[in-house]
Amino acid sequence: MNTIKEGVLCECGKVHPESRVGFSIKRGAICDLPKLCADFECKKAFVVADENTFAAAGKKVCSVFDENSVAYTKYIFPSEKLEPNENSVGSVIMHFDDKCDIIVGVGSGVINDICKIVSRVTARKYIIVATAPSMDGYASASSSVIRAGLKISLNSRCPDYIVGDLDVLCNAPKKMLAAGLGDMLAKYVSICEWRISNLINGEYYCEKVASLVRKAVQDCVADPVGLMNRDETAVKAVFYGLVVGGISMYYAGASRPASGVEHYFSHVWDMRAEEFGTPCELHGIQCAIGTLMALKLYEKIKKITPDREKAKRFVEAFSYDEWKNVLSSYLGKAADAMIALEKKEGKYDVQKHSARLDVIIENWTKILDIIDEELPGAEYIEKLLDIIDCPKRASEIGINEKDNPVTFAATKDIRDKYVLSRLAWDLGVIDEIM
């Protein structure tokens, strides 16, 4: 990560903040916890885990604390299926021991997201002991949570330290190893869409941050067989890449370097699961499927010649009132926040669309060049997913693929972020390509 000069004006025009998060990725890293607590001048730890993560690493954490006379209180979630929602955050707050001056989370995505919020609310230091190289949120300053049924990125807090004990990480379930690589594959699309939005909307973009992420992805895909064989070097590369993904978001001040439309497929599936009890999978698995879906859609986009009149007719015929009804029916109460966001954003405004369309048509060749430069072929990703035994279609995780078109259309409403579905809507082809 030495390509980023912290606290110095970058070529992108931004002064990247200093990343205060420390991390270690090695065998026996959990044994360093007492020293880390001492370095942070903390006397008592609040250990948070669920039943699975406590078995994977929490017992070892408590044992190390016992052996070194470090005081602690622990809270183990009793739920078999833990969700990052208001109830889970509230449970930790209700059990928090205010004599504790540092929080030690033991887990991966959900535990980390919850603990980052609790760390911010309680103003306590925070260490995450990773139990799987499964997602890129370890080092980010936000939490991916479900609030009032809507999957959102909530400002929380970066961990002060990330403990990546390879004795634990190499023994993570193979599905979680696959999920980690799946989350890294998503970065192909996220960087592509970041550049496209920069071209169309003038959105902030940093090539140095993008290069940091590209290099991490390259290292992650180098040995998928080794990853599945729990090879230490391969596992370390994926975990390091996931840490880099989180830090890149911190440098950019946004999630752009690490997530795009492929993540929004995952978010829609999560929101429907929360509202209606429909199937869902690990975040990284869903991102892998979403990445493959996005790559196939981009291949269709590349065959399109923008038609100004067609796009204008499509937009003029578009009924937002009808679309709001579709969103509400498909997502339930999660649609309310998306509808409220549109009131502020106004992306469906005819004049705003016309201005974007002018830029798109004028720069179509450049857009195609960005797609070619950033995205691998769908066949390449399919082969990678086969190697890591990762599902490739939504139907493989129990999702009805007849819903894919409305899922894709809903992705344009989740955040104020220009992604593939918005480009397809602007071109008037969103109903054609899925």
Side-chain angles (χ1 to χ4, degrees):
M1 287 180 284
N2 57 7
T3 59
I4 302 293
K5 293 183 178 179
E6 301 170 342
V8 176
L9 184 65
C10 179
E11 294 172 5
C12 68
K14 182 183 180 74
V15 176
H16 297 295
E18 180 182 357
S19 176
R20 299 182 182 89
V21 59
F23 63 92
S24 61
I25 311 172
K26 64 180 183 179
R27 290 196 175 275
I30 287 175
C31 295
D32 294 337
L33 279 172
K35 182 179 185 305
L36 289 171
C37 290
D39 289 344
F40 289 130
E41 299 182 344
C42 295
K43 309 254 185 205
K44 186 175 184 181
F46 184 64
V47 179
V48 181
D50 62 29
E51 292 179 350
N52 292 327
T53 63
F54 187 73
K59 288 182 180 178
K60 177 66 174 177
V61 169
C62 293
S63 175
V64 167
F65 281 155
D66 287 334
E67 291 169 4
N68 291 272
S69 300
V70 177
Y72 65 92
T73 298
K74 66 177 183 287
Y75 175 64
I76 313 300
F77 278 99
S79 174
E80 292 184 2
K81 184 170 176 54
L82 183 61
E83 297 290 350
N85 55 25
E86 298 98 324
N87 291 337
S88 299
V89 174
S91 292
V92 178
I93 295 292
M94 291 288 286
H95 289 86
F96 182 72
D97 179 352
D98 60 10
K99 293 180 181 179
C100 295
D101 46 14
I102 189 167
I103 297 167
V104 178
V106 182
S108 55
V110 176
I111 290 291
N112 188 48
D113 283 330
I114 292 169
C115 288
K116 283 191 288 186
I117 295 172
V118 176
S119 171
R120 180 176 181 176
V121 170
T122 60
R124 299 308 201 266
K125 295 285 188 181
Y126 173 46
I127 296 173
I128 177 66
V129 178
T131 53
S134 56
M135 56 88 220
D136 66 1
Y138 284 115
S140 75
S142 63
S143 294
S144 183
V145 295
I146 299 170
R147 185 179 68 186
L150 178 65
K151 195 70 176 284
I152 64 168
S153 290
L154 190 67
N155 287 336
S156 52
R157 186 177 183 277
C158 274
D160 294 281
Y161 206 89
I162 301 167
V163 175
D165 193 323
L166 289 171
D167 290 326
V168 175
L169 297 178
C170 289
N171 285 305
K174 286 192 174 183
K175 181 188 281 190
M176 299 194 84
L177 299 177
L181 185 55
D183 205 346
M184 288 305 297
L185 295 178
K187 281 41 174 176
Y188 286 119
V189 178
S190 63
I191 297 298
C192 176
E193 291 181 339
W194 195 15
R195 289 182 63 189
I196 289 174
S197 184
N198 171 254
L199 183 63
I200 295 174
N201 302 301
E203 181 182 343
Y204 161 78
Y205 171 77
C206 179
E207 177 56 30
K208 287 190 174 181
V209 172
S211 296
L212 197 70
V213 176
R214 288 191 199 100
K215 177 61 168 61
V217 175
Q218 181 181 346
D219 291 343
C220 287
V221 301
D223 188 11
V225 174
L227 179 67
M228 289 297 98
N229 289 333
R230 307 182 187 280
D231 175 78
E232 182 177 316
T233 300
V235 172
K236 184 175 182 178
V238 170
F239 187 73
Y240 178 77
L242 294 166
V243 172
V244 168
I247 292 176
S248 72
M249 290 187 270
Y250 183 70
Y251 284 145
S255 63
R256 264 299 188 187
S259 73
V261 73
E262 77 298 321
H263 269 64
Y264 292 174
F265 279 115
S266 179
H267 290 346
V268 171
W269 294 329
D270 286 343
M271 287 187 286
R272 280 182 54 75
E274 176 80 1
E275 181 75 7
F276 303 114
T278 53
C280 66
E281 251 295 353
L282 292 174
H283 170 72
I285 299 294
Q286 293 184 163
C287 285
I289 296 170
T291 296
L292 186 55
M293 291 170 68
L295 293 177
K296 291 179 177 179
L297 291 170
Y298 270 110
E299 288 175 357
K300 293 181 180 180
I301 287 287
K302 287 168 60 177
K303 297 176 182 177
I304 290 172
T305 299
D307 184 327
R308 186 187 304 273
E309 294 307 313
K310 175 181 178 179
K312 287 187 174 181
R313 287 195 303 271
F314 173 83
V315 169
E316 289 170 359
F318 177 78
S319 169
Y320 183 56
D321 286 337
E322 291 180 7
W323 175 239
K324 285 192 294 185
N325 291 334
V326 172
L327 272 180
S328 295
S329 175
Y330 192 58
L331 294 175
K333 62 180 178 291
D336 295 342
M338 297 162 76
I339 293 167
L341 176 63
E342 174 56 22
K343 288 183 179 180
K344 297 180 181 180
E345 186 183 358
K347 62 179 172 293
Y348 295 119
D349 180 82
V350 173
Q351 291 184 337
K352 288 182 178 179
H353 167 259
S354 181
R356 289 195 304 269
L357 186 60
D358 286 343
V359 178
I360 291 168
I361 292 174
E362 182 180 351
N363 292 279
W364 188 243
T365 300
K366 292 180 181 178
I367 292 171
L368 294 180
D369 287 343
I370 291 172
I371 294 171
D372 284 336
E373 290 166 7
E374 298 293 350
L375 300 183
E379 290 185 3
Y380 170 72
I381 297 300
E382 285 182 325
K383 290 178 181 177
L384 274 178
L385 297 184
D386 283 338
I387 291 172
I388 63 175
D389 196 26
C390 179
K392 295 182 291 186
R393 299 177 63 96
S395 59
E396 295 179 56
I397 59 173
I399 293 169
N400 190 337
E401 294 196 7
K402 290 182 180 179
D403 292 333
N404 283 355
V406 68
T407 297
F408 178 53
T411 62
K412 66 185 177 340
D413 292 87
I414 293 179
R415 303 274 194 280
D416 181 6
K417 186 188 288 188
Y418 199 82
V419 294
L420 171 59
S421 48
R422 294 198 178 192
L423 175 61
W425 190 87
D426 280 347
L427 290 168
V429 299
I430 192 168
D431 296 332
E432 300 173 15
I433 64 172
M434 174 54 81

